[in-house]
Amino acid sequence: MENPFNLFKRTVFPSSLGVDIGTTSIKVVEVKQGDKRPFVVNYGLLESSGYLARANQALQTSNLKIFESDVTELLKTVIREMGTATKDAVASIAPFSAFMTVLDFPNMSQQEMEKAIQYQAKQYVPIPLSEVALDWLKVGESQDDEGFMRQKILLISVPLEQIKKYQRMFAAAGLSLRALEIESLSLARIFGGDPTSTIVVDIGSRSTNIIFLENGRLAWNVQSDFAAATLTQNLAESLGINALRAEELKKERGILGTGPNRELSTIMIPFLDAIINEVKKAQFGYKAQFPSAKKTERMIITGGGANLLGIGPYFEREFALPVVRANSFAGFEHDPAIEPLIPELNPVMSVALGLGMKQFA
Ligand SMILES: Nc1ncnc2c1ncn2[C@@H]1O[C@H](COP(=O)(O)OP(=O)(O)OP(=O)(O)O)[C@@H](O)[C@H]1O
Ligand SMILES: [Mg+2]
């Protein structure tokens, strides 16, 4: 099979779809070439109804097979509602479906590197290499004690079974899957325009993806299972209400924590703190792994969880860093009609927009 990570490098399509299949929702953007920048023609966002009712069973469970047909149906629906004729799609793979590790190599030619990586991969990838698609990128450089340059390589492997499943789902929805990439790369494309050393914290339903960008490029990335759905679950349990109501309350009130909302904040904050702890652990891990990395200068929060009212100031206090909400549409032109929706869409659509940007990057 041709390497699915590279299919897009060769051709340019007139317009393409960026498709982010999240745990609880599917996000799609259609992007074409604009006057100066890529142009967002249209977007679609479909929450998988019933996931709250089904409690923990969501679209992307470890056993996704049961839900493959659900994903296809949702994909068909969202495409139909968008009214797009574009069939070419680029999709992302969640960090919990990929295996990533950083390897350290002396400087060598591209050809030698290919061989060395294959060899090393055997030791690090937990399943046989015949069953995975491998990709790698250089994420850092350093000088060893004797003055020789060494490079850090981020090795990404995705089980072929996972890729085939995506191909099946997209084919069944009448789409042509042109490329797949891990979400972290899509996010790095969206937020990497600025060389400021940045941590991107993508708070999704099921997982929080913590990404370190250096010189605008992906350097390191850690995934945690503490995420936005845990806030809803614990609100429901503590207040003895169903998950749908808890979700509504969470979105309406957030952690602003005054007057009658104080109780909600008190319940949710420990779970937000759990996410914060994971980010702090990731910061330690990053320092250990990349001792010469520049000091992080800002944090970008994204994913649906970044819409929690009050989260920005709370994170700012906890991290003593400027915390900015994602501005994912910044690199695009778009229809003025969607302008009023952009503040809320910014964090939710960042992965899909990163995918939509891929063919223009
Ligand atoms: N206004 C809001 N306030 C608080 N939380 C919100 C708000 N809007 C969305 N969320 C939360 O964001 C989460 C969904 O985020 P997102 O769409 O990024 O997740 P996902 O991509 O489906 O999941 P994952 O990335 O983990 O697979 C849900 O838990 C939802 O409750
Ligand atoms: Mg997501």
Side-chain angles (χ1 to χ4, degrees), residues 20 22 27 183 202:
D20 170 14
K27 299 96 167 170
E183 284 178 11
D202 175 354

Side-chain angles (χ1 to χ4, degrees), residues 183-184 187-188 191 198-204 207-213 220-224 226-228 272 274-280 282-283 296 298-307 311 315 319 321-326 328 346-348 350-351:
E183 284 178 11
S184 315
L187 292 172
F191 300 125
T198 302
I199 310 184
V200 179
V201 182
D202 175 354
I203 309 171
S207 87
T208 296
N209 193 9
I210 305 153
I211 298 163
F212 294 85
L213 300 180
W220 175 237
N221 135 215
V222 180
Q223 190 271 126
S224 160
F226 291 99
L272 208 54
I275 297 175
I276 289 172
N277 274 337
E278 294 285 285
V279 178
K280 289 185 175 166
Q283 286 178 297
T296 302
R298 63 166 179 174
M299 177 180 288
I300 295 178
I301 48 172
T302 190
N307 275 335
I311 191 173
F315 269 42
F319 289 100
L321 274 177
V323 174
V324 281
R325 269 177 99 250
S328 317
N346 262 329
V348 180
S350 48
V351 171

Side-chain angles (χ1 to χ4, degrees), residues 20-27 45-47 51-52 59-60 94-96 183 202-209 223-224 227-232 246-254 268 302-309 325 344 347-351:
D20 170 14
I21 301 174
T23 307
T24 51
S25 60
I26 292 186
K27 299 96 167 170
L45 169 61
L46 196 61
E47 299 218 357
Y51 83 90
L52 288 168
L59 281 177
Q60 289 204 348
F96 50 80
E183 284 178 11
D202 175 354
I203 309 171
S205 272
R206 160 179 170 178
S207 87
T208 296
N209 193 9
Q223 190 271 126
S224 160
T230 55
L231 271 62
T232 308
E247 177 77 2
E248 267 173 25
L249 276 177
K250 174 177 88 168
K251 289 186 178 170
E252 255 170 51
R253 317 260 180 93
M268 285 193 281
T302 190
N307 275 335
L308 184 77
L309 295 174
R325 269 177 99 250
E344 201 173 327
V348 180
M349 302 305 277
S350 48
V351 171

